[in-house]
Amino acid sequence: MHPILDIAKVLGLPSDALIHYGEHMTKLRLQALPKARIRPAGKIILVSAINPTRSGEGKTTVAIGLAQGLTRIGKKTALALREPSLGPIFGVKGGGAGGGRCQLEPSARINMHFTGDMHAISAAHNLLAALLDNAIHFRSELDLEHRQIFWRRVLDVNDRALRQTVIGLGGRLNGVPRETGFDITAASEIMAILCLCEDVADLKARLGRILVGFNRAELPVTAESLLASGAMAALLHDAIQPNLVQSTEGVPAFVHGGPFGNIAHGCSSVMATKAAATFADYAVTEAGFGFDLGAEKFFDLKCRSSGLWPSAVVLVVTVRALRIHGGGDPSLSGDIGDISEIERGLAHLDHHVRSVRAFGFDPVIAINCFTNDNEQELVVIEQWCNQCGLDAARFTGFTDGGSGAESLAHAVVSAAAQPQPETRFLYDLESEPTAKISAVARTIYGASDVEFSRTARKDLERISKLGYDRLPVCIAKTHLSLSGDPALVGHPRGFALPVESVRIAAGAGYLLVLTGDIVTMPGLPREPAAHRIDLTDDGEITGI
């Protein structure tokens, strides 16, 4: 690793623009950031993927490797990526900083606590919850209806036992008993606010708009009415400032914010993306899980809110994922399996390509290669891309670092040099929420219909009555399928997307639409990654 001051110098950042967290991590002071509402000159490269398997398909690894590849071919490049959450680190993923020779460094510290942003977000979120229950306890003039409180608490650990809880037990001194629950910090509205705000004034305004519940007259109660937004902003004093680290090969990386793509909007902060595109010529960023989740929200939420727009889109595919989406057995990867499985899986890729084209781009296909991939299957993917007029490049960055991403880097440079398409979104903000949800479900997911539960319809009626119906939508859905059913892999047709409820995220500036069995507090698997993570006597973290 290089000293972080050397990494900052690559971007032209002086020492006094930084707040240091040791030799290898720093934060960028707000004064050094580009002004709000100004579009940076650098080209933004969006990396997304097809629907992954439960093991993931290496999208973050590809994004980091691509940045290293661009640097190797002489392009001044920076990354803008999400921060890892402790939930998946101790759950299934076991790490969220890339892999092999395409990692963020220092990876162990980034995975474990980093600069404390996640904890600051948790603290600000839970402070609002405490002030809310305090107002109920003392029967403040807000006259809160404790059965109409929406604001839950958060924790940055997967813990299914906390999804539904009862608080305030033990007598009058302990508050008013009521039902509530916990979400994971990555699903907190404050996480979304941090990632979408452009400066401190915007942060405080968004915090003040948070809707926490209703009073007995059925009027909305906000964080501002609880006099909470100032203290919450103070807790986020450091967290709002983007973090600067580096990749394995010393590429500058702004790592800031971490909303999940399946239950939030899945993108790193606007400030980090703008910083990367201001101080470098190419800014490589990613949007969580498949294109149907993070990337759609990148366009319809992040770009709409900030005025950003990418110059090229990369779509990551793997033999393993295409085989699964073709109905095959992923354990056969490397064998001479049934090529028809890959061919059927290409229908899934084709759907995502059409989704990318809905926003005006022809994606560059990054084939993330594993050591046991079958050559014949790789050729089938390349031939299909060629027939569709798509540039495709094999990526071997996990084992080869930036040299394994040079072909992809050249393809991306060519794509980014094309005339930039006009800004387009899937829906107009003046449309009804049902029309917005339907536009995403039909165009991006391929649904034939949207089914709204009784609860969801009541939610939408209240949303319309309160005047929140002009907000964009953020759909929470399984990442394993285009549909709302994680078992329905491949290219499902004729399905209906079940909408169970709709939450108002007024501070973030969207309606959170929960579909299927999606939950905002994940659970641990039978064999959590936490079982293999340890600390040696020398103070080294292992098992990530």
Side-chain angles (χ1 to χ4, degrees), residues 391-416:
D391 283 337
R394 297 189 189 187
F395 174 89
T396 59
F398 185 91
T399 54
D400 300 327
S403 65
E406 289 188 27
S407 295
L408 177 60
H410 284 294
V412 165
V413 169
S414 296

Side-chain angles (χ1 to χ4, degrees), residues 90-92 158 160 523-529 531:
F90 291 116
V92 174
N158 291 1
R160 63 172 58 82
L524 293 170
R526 181 180 293 274
E527 296 182 3
H531 290 171

Side-chain angles (χ1 to χ4, degrees), residues 38-46 270 273-274 277 283 285 291 295-313 355-361 416 418-427:
I38 295 178
R39 183 179 289 191
K43 295 180 182 293
I44 296 173
I45 311 302
L46 174 64
V270 167
T273 305
K274 283 192 170 183
T285 191
F291 191 91
E296 180 271 319
K297 296 164 187 174
F298 179 91
F299 286 104
D300 283 323
L301 295 175
K302 182 173 179 176
C303 290
R304 193 196 297 266
S305 169
S306 65
L308 296 172
W309 198 252
S311 296
V313 176
S355 294
V356 178
R357 286 173 169 164
F359 292 98
F361 295 89
Q418 301 302 311
Q420 189 168 315
E422 292 184 7
T423 301
R424 66 174 77 168
F425 304 111
L426 286 185
Y427 51 81

